[in-house]
């Protein structure tokens, strides 16, 4: 909701703007200062007929005349001219200008809001992009640098434990089991000495567990001899 204030003869007229069709003006100050008999206008035959015709033509979110909100008298923008005519000729003439200013101001506010939202979206997109970069780098570091002695490359594990599978197939199996990411695998295709092989560094026990669960042949007699090298 947007709030505006219009003035007539130094009398404030608060305005609530939800959208172009849903704009209400609080005429409580007009009634109080100018001694307007609001109920007389509200219950007049002309006002009731105006209400009936307007309610058929627009979609609104509350009553066209809403005078039960903390003792205030809100009227829909389409009734403002009718009400102004009831108050005075001077106010009727001024009412057109007030409505025009409200509609113009409302559009300006909405335009400002659109710019704010677009700016927020761009900022969030940038933050998301930065977060994705950080995540990718964090994943790379997990496999690039051993955290303990039980970490090795896929190719070395295949050799040390006599596993009957190619490095390519094992990489894909580890990707399938969410142990490594396919992007991580791809990033190691062009590395060699600095990364101790051309496949990601992984935890030996986790790889062997996946191998055994998938019934892939390996030389279990090598377990204690080889694992002792890393402990």
């Amino acid at each position: 909701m947007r709030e505006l204030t219009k003035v007539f003869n130094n009398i404030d007229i608060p305005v609530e703007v939800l959208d172009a069709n849903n704009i209400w003006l609080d005429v409580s100050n007009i009634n109080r200062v100018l001694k307007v008999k609001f109920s007389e206008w509200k219950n007049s035959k002309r006002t009731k007929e105006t209400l009936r015709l307007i309610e058929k033509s627009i979609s609104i979110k509350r009553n066209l005349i809403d005078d039960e909100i903390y003792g205030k008298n809100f009227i829909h923008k389409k009734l403002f001219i009718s009400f102004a005519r009831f108050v005075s000729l001077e106010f009727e003439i001024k009412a057109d200008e007030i409505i025009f200013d409200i509609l113009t101001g409302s559009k300006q506010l909405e335009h400002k809001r659109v710019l704010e939202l677009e700016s927020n979206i761009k900022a969030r997109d940038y933050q998301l992009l930065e977060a994705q970069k950080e995540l990718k780098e964090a994943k790379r570091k997990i496999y690039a640098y051993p955290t303990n002695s039980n970490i090795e490359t896929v190719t070395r594990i295949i050799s040390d434990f006599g596993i009957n599978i190619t490095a390519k197939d094992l990489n894909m199996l580890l990707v399938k089991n969410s142990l490594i990411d396919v992007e991580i695998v791809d990033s190691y295709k062009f590395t060699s000495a600095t990364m101790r092989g051309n496949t990601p560094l992984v935890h030996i026990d986790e790889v062997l567990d996946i191998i055994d669960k998938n019934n892939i042949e390996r030389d279990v007699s090598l377990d204690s001899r080889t694992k002792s090298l890393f402990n």
Side-chain angles (χ1 to χ4, degrees):
M1 181 180 72
R2 295 287 184 265
E3 295 182 356
L4 306 170
T5 299
K6 295 302 171 183
V7 179
F8 171 69
N9 287 351
N10 296 319
I11 303 173
D12 287 347
I13 307 173
V15 182
E16 292 183 1
V17 181
L18 298 180
D19 54 47
N21 280 332
N22 290 275
I23 297 175
W24 279 266
L25 299 95
D26 178 5
V27 296
S28 304
N29 292 333
I30 295 289
N31 294 337
R32 177 176 54 79
V33 176
L34 300 182
K35 310 298 182 184
V36 176
K37 297 180 180 180
F38 185 75
S39 60
E40 184 178 323
W41 168 77
K42 175 183 175 181
N43 296 318
S44 69
K45 182 178 179 180
R46 183 181 182 86
T47 300
K48 288 182 178 179
E49 180 63 16
T50 302
L51 278 170
R52 186 182 67 81
L53 294 174
I54 292 175
E55 286 172 345
K56 286 183 176 180
S57 63
I58 62 171
S59 173
I60 59 169
K61 298 180 180 179
R62 72 192 204 206
N63 295 331
L64 289 168
I65 300 177
D66 197 346
D67 57 353
E68 298 179 358
I69 303 179
Y70 306 111
K72 295 184 178 181
N73 305 125
F74 285 93
I75 61 175
H76 189 269
K77 67 172 184 176
K78 284 188 174 291
L79 287 171
F80 190 58
I81 300 297
S82 170
F83 173 75
R85 185 179 296 116
F86 177 81
V87 175
S88 70
L89 178 59
E90 180 187 6
F91 192 33
E92 178 184 355
I93 294 172
K94 182 67 175 178
D96 275 327
E97 180 183 330
I98 291 174
I99 291 296
F100 178 81
D101 287 346
I102 289 172
L103 294 176
T104 302
S106 176
K107 287 182 179 180
Q108 290 175 343
L109 284 172
E110 290 306 317
H111 180 64
K112 181 180 178 181
R113 179 60 177 160
V114 167
L115 293 178
E116 289 175 353
L117 290 172
E118 288 178 342
S119 178
N120 289 340
I121 289 172
K122 287 180 180 178
R124 290 173 186 173
D125 285 346
Y126 175 78
Q127 291 172 353
L128 177 60
L129 182 62
E130 290 300 302
Q132 289 173 336
K133 288 180 180 178
E134 289 181 17
L135 176 60
K136 188 172 182 179
E137 178 63 12
K139 285 183 176 180
R140 188 193 70 79
K141 288 181 178 180
I142 288 175
Y143 301 106
Y145 306 102
T147 56
N148 59 52
S149 59
N150 208 25
I151 298 291
E152 252 303 346
T153 63
V154 168
T155 51
R156 181 71 180 273
I157 293 173
I158 290 173
S159 173
D160 287 345
F161 291 89
I163 302 173
N164 186 25
I165 192 173
T166 65
K168 178 180 178 182
D169 289 341
L170 182 52
N171 278 334
M172 291 303 99
L173 182 60
L174 299 183
V175 168
K176 183 179 179 181
N177 284 269
S178 302
L179 184 58
I180 56 177
D181 189 286
V182 67
E183 291 185 4
I184 297 295
V185 175
D186 291 341
S187 70
Y188 278 78
K189 286 182 178 178
F190 304 103
T191 60
S192 55
T194 57
M195 297 300 177
R196 302 166 65 199
N198 64 347
T199 55
L201 290 163
V202 288
H203 195 282
I204 295 173
D205 291 336
E206 290 180 333
V207 174
L208 294 181
D209 184 57
I210 292 173
I211 288 293
D212 292 339
K213 285 181 179 179
N214 285 271
N215 298 316
I216 297 173
E217 183 182 350
R218 69 183 181 88
D219 189 347
V220 294
S221 66
L222 297 175
D223 278 16
S224 58
R225 180 181 66 79
T226 309
K227 290 177 71 173
S228 65
L229 297 176
F230 301 101
N231 296 320

